[in-house]
Amino acid sequence: MYKRILIPSDGSETSQRAILAGVEFAREVGAEVVGLTVTPEFHVLSTNSDMIEDTPEQFAAAGEGRARSILAAIDGAAREAGLPCRLEHAVDDDPYAAIVAAAERLGCDLIVMASHGRRGLKGLLLGSETQKVLVHSRVPVLVHR
């Protein structure tokens, strides 16, 4: 049924749990795993202190290092389960858009991702990348909490 499962991660604890659940599900159905992480673009004017203090090159290098670390967790879980795994790093200010685009571009037939469970005003103000993926994706999404 599912042949290629996209598992995006931001490196958070809830994402780590979703990685394990997604890899286990992929193992059960015999699917390939595609790991994805998204880092923001560099902006000269920003409220992000890393962007203010770094040059574009330093910011990009730090983003690459963080992405490698996040993707290593997905790769390690997939290897442990004996599954093929492809790793992707996208640079985009809208993680949900990068997730949806990667799922379509790579021919994924399921996205497994975490929900941070923000509710009320905090959820409204911060938004939810998971919610945005659910709204914009044509690929089915399995949300892990």
Side-chain angles (χ1 to χ4, degrees):
M1 181 175 193
Y2 298 111
K3 301 291 184 210
R4 185 171 293 143
I5 299 174
L6 178 67
I7 305 175
S9 175
D10 62 3
S12 66
E13 186 178 320
T14 54
S15 283
Q16 295 292 42
R17 290 192 302 266
I19 290 168
L20 297 177
V23 166
E24 177 60 23
F25 182 74
R27 188 186 63 72
E28 289 175 8
V29 300
E32 173 189 357
V33 169
V34 178
L36 171 71
T37 193
V38 182
T39 55
E41 298 175 30
F42 181 84
H43 298 280
V44 176
L45 298 174
S46 175
T47 59
N48 182 336
S49 63
D50 292 336
M51 285 186 206
I52 294 169
E53 295 172 1
D54 290 345
T55 65
E57 295 78 17
Q58 291 170 322
F59 185 78
E64 278 293 324
R66 186 168 188 275
R68 274 193 302 278
S69 174
I70 291 168
L71 293 173
I74 299 170
D75 187 51
R79 283 180 191 263
E80 195 172 301
L83 296 174
C85 182
R86 176 179 180 159
L87 302 173
E88 296 278 326
H89 173 213
V91 177
D92 198 314
D93 285 332
D94 295 315
Y96 82 91
I99 293 166
V100 170
E104 291 178 6
R105 178 175 49 85
L106 299 171
C108 297
D109 40 25
L110 181 67
I111 301 170
V112 176
M113 63 188 301
S115 171
H116 291 284
R118 294 184 183 109
R119 298 178 194 274
L121 186 59
K122 188 173 185 180
L124 180 65
L125 293 175
L126 295 176
S128 165
E129 296 305 317
T130 303
Q131 181 66 33
K132 293 174 190 172
V133 171
L134 285 166
V135 169
H136 296 294
S137 179
R138 286 182 260 161
V139 175
V141 180
L142 176 62
V143 179
H144 185 269
R145 282 184 109 190

